[in-house]
Amino acid sequence: MAQSLNKVIDLQTTGTSYLSLSGKVGKFLVGDQALEFYPDVNVEQYIQIPWSSIQQIGANVTGRKISRHFEVFTDQGKFLFASKDSGAILKIAREKLGNDKVVKLPTLLQTIGQKFKNLFAKK
């Protein structure tokens, strides 16, 4: 039986986890202790990430629009999620983690541009 780490829930919303090859749709619980994801198919395959183990969390931002997809970097690895309320999740994460751990990730065009710049850079 899945047991939540949170005592107080700040936000509950739907979303997708891309931990496996295909995405799993489920519910996000963002609370005082952790960021949690419970898949709709099998709740026992939950993901619980305590705030203390998160090194960075970020999303792509273009102008004033925040991408649906966001990444959570921990000491265990990288987790990729998507939610229509990713902005609200990141805002709560900023309160829990601080400004330095919530980052703006580069867009696809910025990543490709950086690869070209590194390819033709003087060595």
Side-chain angles (χ1 to χ4, degrees), residues 22 24 34 36 46-48 51 66 70 75 84 107 123:
S22 63
K24 292 182 182 175
E36 301 175 329
Y46 58 89
I47 300 170
Q48 294 176 328
W51 294 118
I66 298 174
F70 62 97
D75 49 356
K84 62 181 180 187
T107 63
K123 295 192 182 199

Side-chain angles (χ1 to χ4, degrees), residues 3 30 39 46-47 49 56-57 70 79-80 84 89 93-94:
Q3 183 70 29
V30 184
Y46 58 89
I47 300 170
I49 307 171
Q56 258 187 353
I57 184 170
F70 62 97
F79 298 92
L80 180 61
K84 62 181 180 187
I89 293 171
R94 186 177 301 273

Side-chain angles (χ1 to χ4, degrees), residues 15 22 32 41 52 64 85 95 100 105 115 119 121:
S22 63
D32 59 338
V41 177
S52 59
R64 294 186 50 95
D85 297 322
E95 294 171 5
D100 56 331
L105 298 176
K115 297 284 185 192
L119 184 66

Side-chain angles (χ1 to χ4, degrees), residues 82-103:
S83 174
K84 62 181 180 187
D85 297 322
S86 62
I89 293 171
L90 292 173
K91 188 179 280 189
I92 294 171
R94 186 177 301 273
E95 294 171 5
K96 305 294 183 192
L97 300 172
N99 288 339
D100 56 331
K101 290 191 177 184
V102 179
V103 297

Side-chain angles (χ1 to χ4, degrees), residues 14-66:
T14 59
T16 306
S17 167
Y18 295 107
L19 189 60
S20 63
L21 199 54
S22 63
K24 292 182 182 175
V25 177
K27 301 261 186 292
F28 281 105
L29 294 178
V30 184
D32 59 338
Q33 300 293 319
L35 171 68
E36 301 175 329
F37 178 78
Y38 295 95
D40 290 339
V41 177
N42 186 359
V43 180
E44 294 301 319
Q45 295 177 344
Y46 58 89
I47 300 170
Q48 294 176 328
I49 307 171
W51 294 118
S52 59
S53 70
I54 294 178
Q55 295 172 345
Q56 258 187 353
I57 184 170
N60 294 332
V61 179
T62 52
R64 294 186 50 95
K65 187 175 183 210
I66 298 174

Side-chain angles (χ1 to χ4, degrees), residues 100-121:
D100 56 331
K101 290 191 177 184
V102 179
V103 297
K104 186 190 301 187
L105 298 176
T107 63
L108 179 63
L109 291 176
Q110 290 172 338
T111 304
I112 293 171
Q114 188 64 38
K115 297 284 185 192
F116 275 119
K117 192 183 288 185
N118 290 342
L119 184 66
F120 296 114

